[in-house]
Amino acid sequence: MSQCCCGCAREDLPWSGRGTDLPISGCRFSLYPMTDNFVPIILGALEKTDTTRVWSESDALSTVYRGKLPYVVDAVRALFVNAYHDGVHMALEGQFSKGCPGDVSGDSVLDYDGEAPNKATAGEAHFPVKCKIALYPMGTPDYIDHIAKIWRLAEAEGLEPTTIHYATRLSGDVQDLFRFFEKVCTEMDGAVSHYIMHFTLSVNSPTAE
Amino acid sequence: MSQCCCGCAREDLPWSGRGTDLPISGCRFSLYPMTDNFVPIILGALEKTDTTRVWSESDALSTVYRGKLPYVVDAVRALFVNAYHDGVHMALEGQFSKGCPGDVSGDSVLDYDGEAPNKATAGEAHFPVKCKIALYPMGTPDYIDHIAKIWRLAEAEGLEPTTIHYATRLSGDVQDLFRFFEKVCTEMDGAVSHYIMHFTLSVNSPTAE
């Protein structure tokens, strides 16, 4: 049984890097609005988000968007912006990834070009976001060096990276963070055959720091 | 600057595996009760959990427990059980990890033995949990093989693993899932110098599958 690092079991695939040459990026995410009103906020955000440029699937735990990286980032950013409500504490937990050895060529949308469909509606929203990330370049002994590059990128982007156990804290405007996420994915795509970047975005937290 | 895969920046450490011989496991987690009442649920669960056997630190995004693996698992399980309320949809997102090259010997509690302090209060709670995990054995080209072992372990434990993009779905009783988490961490600790296992636990979801 072939199995990717994410746990995908694929009888029909060999072990070695089957998925790494596929131009399919993806993001699996879960939205957590801390309010009794969470269902309409989540469903409303999903409905408001234009997913014509990504393949999408939801289950009880999370939703996944797959396709060309810019469209995946555009859709996740729009989902988060569309779910934002003043004063409502909400978190988005997710993982961007590309190159899983067990990945498949299906379940994706790759035959589009041009402007990201949610740019006009979500590209101008601005609000402060607390963030943490953890980056995993897989299958390489020099993974530390790759992460060091991303740490320096976060510094250069003004996202004020700070150290916490098992993750890196960042903070910035929602647009700056998603722009950074796309840069990280692009950098990792060129550097390693398979990477995963987990992230947490939090808004309107009542916890003072 | 030395930097671990999680992004930890440590001026005082060399690049190579500094943290891998430390017997310190950890779990960083965030609790998301989808209710207006989220603050007392989170704070109440944190207060009810005996953390005398782990090192603990909270910020606006998450809490981390560090120490000997059985005590870390005991504390996270207790936190989740203590936060559980009938009918309240809640998720726990977290990552168990050990062996980060940038880890430090401090920020931990290692000088204890004996029974896990929360076992009596949390060890007998039972409720069904939907789960997903993603396992990352770092720095090794054969990471796929290590994950295949864990997939088979999940099958053997009756947690019904199924494939989703970028993760593996599991389902089971809360006790069975945390027992599995401890087995995964123990297995990975013996197999690789550094691993991370991300997990999502969800209860009382209104989404039918």
Side-chain angles (χ1 to χ4, degrees):
Chain A
M1 179 177 68
S2 175
Q3 198 149 352
C4 86
C5 85
C6 328
C8 318
R10 308 286 190 187
E11 304 291 353
D12 56 327
L13 296 175
W15 286 96
S16 58
R18 166 65 178 78
T20 57
D21 59 352
L22 298 169
I24 302 171
S25 298
C27 183
R28 176 169 296 281
F29 60 88
S30 302
L31 192 62
Y32 300 119
M34 260 66 79
T35 166
D36 293 349
N37 207 32
F38 70 96
V39 171
I41 287 178
I42 294 170
L43 296 183
L46 288 167
E47 285 161 15
K48 269 189 266 182
T49 302
D50 184 329
T51 56
T52 56
R53 298 300 183 258
V54 295
W55 179 88
S56 175
E57 186 173 72
S58 295
D59 65 18
L61 292 190
S62 56
T63 292
V64 63
Y65 292 158
R66 280 161 54 86
K68 291 179 178 176
L69 178 63
Y71 297 140
V72 171
V73 174
D74 169 75
V76 177
R77 179 184 64 176
L79 182 282
F80 189 54
V81 166
N82 291 336
Y84 182 87
H85 287 65
D86 287 333
V88 174
H89 179 32
M90 178 176 70
L92 181 72
E93 292 254 8
Q95 63 200 107
F96 285 96
S97 184
K98 183 171 184 289
C100 173
D103 203 0
V104 289
S105 56
D107 301 348
S108 187
V109 174
L110 297 173
D111 57 347
Y112 286 107
D113 286 306
E115 176 113 333
N118 296 284
K119 189 178 176 187
T121 55
E124 297 306 321
H126 296 285
F127 48 82
V129 179
K130 291 188 172 82
C131 175
K132 66 178 166 73
I133 62 168
L135 178 63
Y136 308 117
M138 301 307 296
T140 173
D142 66 348
Y143 62 100
I144 299 294
D145 302 340
H146 294 294
I147 288 131
K149 267 190 219 155
I150 297 308
W151 171 280
R152 289 191 289 269
L153 175 62
E155 286 182 316
E157 297 283 314
L159 299 176
E160 303 170 348
T162 58
T163 295
I164 57 175
H165 290 294
Y166 316 118
T168 297
R169 277 289 301 270
L170 305 172
S171 62
D173 179 78
V174 62
Q175 300 296 331
D176 298 333
L177 284 163
F178 277 96
R179 188 179 311 111
F180 172 72
F181 290 168
E182 184 164 353
K183 287 183 178 181
V184 172
C185 292
T186 302
E187 170 73 24
M188 284 299 102
D189 188 18
V192 298
S193 64
H194 179 202
Y195 72 88
I196 305 93
M197 185 190 73
H198 279 258
F199 65 91
T200 303
L201 299 174
S202 174
V203 294
N204 301 320
S205 170
T207 306
E209 294 190 308
Chain B
M1 179 178 70
S2 176
Q3 198 149 353
C4 86
C5 86
C6 330
C8 317
R10 309 285 190 186
E11 305 290 351
D12 57 324
L13 296 176
W15 287 98
S16 59
R18 165 65 178 78
T20 58
D21 59 352
L22 298 169
I24 303 172
S25 299
C27 182
R28 176 170 295 282
F29 60 88
S30 302
L31 193 62
Y32 300 119
M34 260 67 78
T35 166
D36 294 347
N37 206 33
F38 70 95
V39 171
I41 287 178
I42 294 171
L43 296 182
L46 287 167
E47 285 162 15
K48 269 190 266 182
T49 301
D50 185 328
T51 57
T52 56
R53 299 299 185 259
V54 294
W55 180 89
S56 175
E57 187 173 72
S58 295
D59 65 19
L61 292 190
S62 55
T63 292
V64 62
Y65 292 158
R66 280 162 54 86
K68 291 180 178 176
L69 178 63
Y71 297 140
V72 171
V73 174
D74 168 75
V76 177
R77 180 185 63 178
L79 182 282
F80 189 56
V81 165
N82 292 335
Y84 183 88
H85 287 62
D86 287 333
V88 174
H89 178 33
M90 178 176 69
L92 181 71
E93 291 256 9
Q95 62 199 110
F96 285 97
S97 184
K98 183 170 184 290
C100 173
D103 204 1
V104 291
S105 55
D107 302 346
S108 187
V109 174
L110 296 172
D111 57 347
Y112 287 107
D113 288 304
E115 176 114 334
N118 296 284
K119 187 178 177 186
T121 55
E124 297 306 321
H126 296 283
F127 49 82
V129 180
K130 292 187 171 79
C131 174
K132 66 179 166 71
I133 63 168
L135 177 63
Y136 308 116
M138 301 307 296
T140 173
D142 66 348
Y143 63 98
I144 298 292
D145 302 340
H146 295 294
I147 289 130
K149 265 190 222 156
I150 298 308
W151 171 282
R152 288 190 289 268
L153 176 62
E155 285 182 316
E157 297 284 314
L159 299 176
E160 303 170 350
T162 58
T163 295
I164 57 175
H165 289 296
Y166 315 118
T168 297
R169 279 286 305 267
L170 304 173
S171 62
D173 179 79
V174 62
Q175 300 296 331
D176 298 333
L177 283 164
F178 277 96
R179 188 179 311 112
F180 172 72
F181 290 169
E182 184 165 351
K183 286 183 178 181
V184 172
C185 293
T186 302
E187 171 72 24
M188 284 299 103
D189 188 18
V192 298
S193 63
H194 178 204
Y195 71 89
I196 306 94
M197 184 191 73
H198 280 258
F199 65 91
T200 304
L201 299 175
S202 174
V203 294
N204 301 320
S205 170
T207 305
E209 293 191 311

